[in-house]
Amino acid sequence: MGLFEMFRKKTSGTIAKDRLKLLLVSDRANCSPELMEMIKNDIIHAISKYMEIDAQGVEIQMTETDSENNNGKIPALYANIPILDMKNKGN
């Protein structure tokens, strides 16, 4: 992916294709929407101990990545967590 491709506006077809991929990955990983929400809440709780974050802006997604053993694709968890400030900077 080139630098300019990151800023290109996605078409509705591309967005739908990306959503379908995420759905398929989540299904293959046997991860329900309820489980994803529980994972998201646990991550928010854990990170909030150390950082002030924008909990409303947290995005959690299942995706696929190449395995280290070259066994094909494996599920991976992707988290986008907006950090507002660090807690206990002086320690």
Side-chain angles (χ1 to χ4, degrees), residues 12-73:
S12 60
T14 305
I15 293 170
K17 184 178 175 182
D18 290 346
R19 286 182 182 162
L20 180 58
K21 283 182 185 178
L22 290 173
L23 255 170
L24 291 173
V25 171
S26 296
D27 189 48
R28 286 186 200 138
N30 206 11
C31 188
S32 69
E34 294 82 17
L35 180 58
M36 287 295 291
E37 192 63 28
M38 291 187 330
I39 291 170
K40 178 179 175 179
N41 290 335
D42 285 349
I43 290 173
I44 289 171
H45 179 73
I47 300 284
S48 293
K49 292 179 185 178
Y50 308 99
M51 300 171 199
E52 184 181 335
I53 63 171
D54 175 11
Q56 299 300 318
V58 173
E59 297 176 22
I60 305 292
Q61 298 176 353
M62 292 290 288
T63 186
E64 286 185 332
T65 188
D66 293 323
S67 72
E68 292 182 9
N69 318 22
N70 295 324
N71 293 358
K73 301 273 185 185

